[in-house]
């Protein structure tokens, strides 16, 4: 478990979960530098996934972010 924005989160157990988390971090990062780091991580993870998996992860990250706001 780790903290993300004050919320306790379960560590990702798959590339899909890691991509969703990296996308969320890219949007919510406190600085542009940290956002760029998370985006680079997301791009790296996405390279090992299919286009459909990446699209699903983007949609899930969007839904999660909408719920949090």
């Amino acid at each position: 478990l780790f903290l993300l924005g004050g919320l306790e989160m379960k560590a990702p157990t798959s590339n899909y979960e890691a991509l969703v988390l990296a996308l969320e971090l890219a949007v919510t990062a406190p600085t542009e530098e940290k956002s760029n780091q998370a985006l680079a991580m997301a791009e790296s993870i996405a390279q090992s996934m299919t286009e459909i998996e990446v699209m699903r992860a983007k949609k899930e990250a969007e839904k999660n972010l909408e719920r949090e706001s």
Side-chain angles (χ1 to χ4, degrees), residues 15 19 40-51 53-54:
N15 282 345
L19 178 57
M41 191 183 324
E43 289 172 349
S44 176
I45 295 165
Q47 289 179 356
S48 66
M49 300 170 66
T50 68
E51 189 174 336
E53 290 171 321
V54 172

Side-chain angles (χ1 to χ4, degrees), residues 19-30:
L19 178 57
V20 171
L21 182 58
L23 291 168
E24 292 173 13
L25 288 172
V27 172
T28 61

